[in-house]
Amino acid sequence: MRLWGPRSLGVALGVFMTIGFALQLLGGPFQRRLPGLQLRHSWASSLGPAAPSCPPRQHLVFLKTHKSGSSSVLSLLHRYGDRHGLRFALPARYQFGYPRLFQASRVKGYRPQSGGTQPPFHILCHHMRFNLKEVLQVMPSDSFFFSIVRDPAALARSAFSYYKSTSSAFRKAPSLAAFLANPRAFYRPGARGDHYARNLLWFDFGLPFPPEMRTKRGNPHVSRDPNPPQLPSGAGPPAHTLDPNALFHPVPTVADGHSQMSSPASLDLGSSSFIQWNLAWLDSVFDLVLVAEYFDESLVLLADALCWGLDDVVGFMHNAQAGGGQDRSTIDDGGLTTEERQLTARARAWNNLDWALYVHFNRSLWARIKQYGQSRLDSAVAELRARREALAKHCLVGGEALDPKYITDRRFRPFQFGSGKVLGYVLRSGLSLQDQEECERLATPELQYKDKLDAKQFPPTVSLPLKTSRRPSP
């Protein structure tokens, strides 16, 4: 059971599992205000008077969604945790068994039978398919849950380029336009890698799919639990109080005075009840969901919610493809050609679950911005961008990301995958030791940083040769 600690919310906890995931109702989003954002380094100015008066949040669960700018967020978490000596929940390799649902047993060093002697993990942030029940086996009860979403039209463009060789649907299609013109000619639910080709965000969040989107064989969406609890009917969370002891067990609903059981599969997707239920569940679990098209605005709100300084969320973009980028114009279709507008509409229609998810969290982001204050946000975003630009000029050759052919130092060369080149960074020479260390943190790609953290948490053991005993002298 997750205890929300500082939230002090009298919200009942209940869980409903259906094919493919567990549903839990855990209380609404938590917000905390920063009196001001302070910059620590000498070469930048300060936004506010003093450091945040609230303690920084350091128990964090970040759902790293695919092709949504999540690698840049991961870089911030790597850097913050590394600097503060925090303990990461790390996968044995680079992902937690994706595309399978997350399992606590895949966390390196996790010992459920340690009797409370195991040090707690602070940050869980690498690729996984979200599975709340198992996450709560690993992370402290007061963890801050957050993620990031992207307009499915922009995500589709990036995913088609990046996963062209991985998804059978993308591999068979000559172009993204051809795929979206007739996706069912290429897409087969359950085919290898085809979760990348439709509703990828929905999949990453571990949400169930309606019956028509499931497969009859090898269904990647199906839970292995032989007796999955079921979801109450209705478009929103049930009004009655749920027994915490019924966690991960079927919970009856009350409708017209009768107790009944039903599942999300029985909800009419067309009426949006199925979608709205799942969105309501996400709202109850995630404290904040960032929006890639408003990345800097999202980072300011993240710093606010975590009681971090602005420096803690200033960083460089990672895993960006040459010629890519996250153009916020895709949201309102402004400036797009007729052909581009048609492709955008088709991408959103094909990824209808992702589009509903994106619209929902875009609205919630702007609701938080309104509460935070638009003018205050504008000032913080301007300072964040100025700080990022100053760091880039101070740390990087050319002050920007470069084609990988220019990156000879393997520590900073990003993993190349897909049809596009993944950009990276080259550090300037002549940096002081302190600046060199910080600039390296900023420029290190996610795979190399994960390896660095792994070696730090699990240093290799060196076996010493046995000493031969000397015969005493006569």
Side-chain angles (χ1 to χ4, degrees), residues 29-307:
F30 171 65
Q31 299 183 29
R32 185 177 281 170
R33 305 303 297 267
L34 279 176
L37 295 171
Q38 185 178 12
L39 299 174
R40 293 189 304 273
H41 295 293
S42 59
W43 64 74
S45 59
S46 176
L47 255 186
S53 59
C54 47
R57 303 286 295 269
Q58 294 188 336
H59 291 156
L60 310 173
V61 175
F62 174 59
L63 174 60
K64 187 179 186 296
T65 53
H66 287 80
K67 310 314 299 173
S68 299
S70 61
S71 293
S72 302
V73 180
L74 184 68
S75 175
L76 303 175
L77 296 175
H78 279 166
R79 202 169 80 244
Y80 183 91
D82 187 20
R83 187 189 298 121
H84 292 275
L86 304 185
R87 191 165 182 255
F88 286 81
L90 297 171
R93 291 182 61 81
Y94 299 105
Q95 300 184 0
F96 291 106
Y98 188 89
R100 297 180 181 89
L101 289 166
F102 174 81
Q103 296 293 320
S105 60
R106 292 187 177 274
V107 175
K108 190 173 182 178
Y110 171 65
R111 298 187 301 274
Q113 308 302 327
S114 62
T117 60
Q118 176 177 278
F121 293 109
H122 295 94
I123 301 176
L124 173 64
C125 58
H126 293 87
H127 271 313
M128 63 174 164
R129 188 173 182 219
F130 191 64
N131 183 0
L132 181 57
K133 177 182 178 181
E134 290 291 313
V135 168
L136 294 177
Q137 299 297 314
V138 176
M139 296 301 295
S141 58
D142 63 346
S143 295
F144 182 94
F145 282 62
F146 70 110
S147 187
I148 185 169
V149 297
R150 186 181 186 184
D151 185 334
L155 192 154
R157 292 181 178 93
S158 180
F160 187 84
S161 171
Y162 199 78
Y163 298 115
K164 176 75 171 172
S165 63
T166 306
S167 165
S168 62
F170 287 162
R171 189 166 54 248
K172 290 181 287 186
S175 65
L176 179 60
F179 173 79
L180 292 174
N182 187 16
R184 296 188 188 279
F186 308 100
Y187 175 82
R188 295 291 181 270
R192 185 174 180 84
D194 275 7
H195 61 281
Y196 292 117
R198 190 179 193 192
N199 293 311
L200 179 55
L201 289 173
W202 194 271
F203 184 88
D204 284 354
F205 274 97
L207 298 171
F209 284 76
E212 63 271 22
M213 292 188 185
R214 299 185 192 137
T215 63
K216 294 182 180 179
R217 62 172 184 80
N219 184 359
H221 314 315
V222 174
S223 169
R224 298 304 178 189
D225 188 341
N227 299 299
Q230 302 189 2
L231 173 70
S233 61
H240 63 282
T241 301
L242 302 174
D243 180 4
N245 295 322
L247 194 65
F248 308 116
H249 292 282
V251 180
T253 62
V254 178
D256 301 325
H258 300 285
S259 177
Q260 61 179 18
M261 299 296 296
S262 63
S263 73
S266 67
L267 300 177
D268 180 10
L269 180 60
S271 70
S272 81
S273 296
F274 175 91
I275 294 175
Q276 293 306 317
W277 177 272
N278 287 288
L279 295 178
W281 177 74
L282 291 179
D283 279 340
S284 72
V285 174
F286 285 86
D287 301 278
L288 177 65
V289 175
L290 317 180
V291 175
E293 283 74 15
Y294 299 102
F295 190 73
D296 292 342
E297 292 87 346
S298 296
L299 291 182
V300 170
L301 294 180
L302 179 65
D304 178 69
L306 297 180
C307 290

Side-chain angles (χ1 to χ4, degrees), residues 417-435:
F417 190 80
S419 59
K421 295 179 179 179
V422 179
L423 304 177
Y425 302 102
V426 176
L427 298 188
R428 292 175 59 241
S429 59
L431 296 170
S432 68
L433 289 179
Q434 181 179 359
D435 288 358

